[in-house]
Amino acid sequence: MVTNFDDLDLDLPSKKEYTVVAQVKSYKWSINDNNAIEQCKTAIEKFKAEYAILITTAKISDEFNKKIEDYNDSKTQENTGIISLVDGEKLAKLYIKYIRG
């Protein structure tokens, strides 16, 4: 069972298609905005998505990360609607790896 978007092996050919929604937030320091989580939940419901990716330029606060973990724990049994986080540091690393090569 996949419990996090990071656990998906997207390199292997698969007949399974996933619906993934993305929410992008720009914050200067750290994120602790319940509205971002609510927007992910709304998008998951609207598009019947298995996963949401919350991308932010900020650092993820421990409190915010705990909120996401609690939400994901409640969804693990259903295996749908999981929210993954990409913070500013991870975003920069992805940019360097995949865009700048």
Side-chain angles (χ1 to χ4, degrees):
M1 175 169 63
V2 176
T3 59
N4 186 304
F5 185 75
D6 295 335
D7 295 337
L8 289 176
D9 189 350
L10 300 177
D11 292 330
L12 293 176
S14 172
K15 295 183 191 272
K16 174 70 176 155
E17 291 184 11
Y18 296 95
T19 301
V20 180
V21 294
Q23 181 63 247
V24 180
K25 296 291 184 187
S26 177
Y27 291 95
K28 192 169 186 173
W29 305 114
S30 67
I31 184 172
N32 190 18
D33 183 2
N34 289 338
N35 192 38
I37 297 171
E38 291 305 316
Q39 289 172 346
C40 284
K41 291 179 186 179
T42 299
I44 288 167
E45 291 174 15
K46 180 176 181 178
F47 296 103
K48 297 178 179 44
E50 287 90 0
Y51 300 95
I53 304 173
L54 178 54
I55 303 166
T56 180
T57 54
K59 292 180 97 174
I60 305 295
S61 70
D62 291 339
E63 184 179 338
F64 188 79
N65 196 50
K66 176 74 171 122
K67 291 175 189 175
I68 295 291
E69 287 176 1
D70 290 346
Y71 170 78
N72 286 344
D73 286 347
S74 74
K75 293 299 192 176
T76 300
Q77 297 300 323
E78 302 168 31
N79 200 26
T80 187
I82 302 297
I83 300 173
S84 287
L85 299 171
V86 175
D87 67 1
E89 183 178 336
K90 188 172 184 180
L91 184 60
K93 288 177 181 178
L94 288 168
Y95 174 80
I96 291 167
K97 183 175 182 178
Y98 293 106
I99 304 298
R100 291 192 58 201

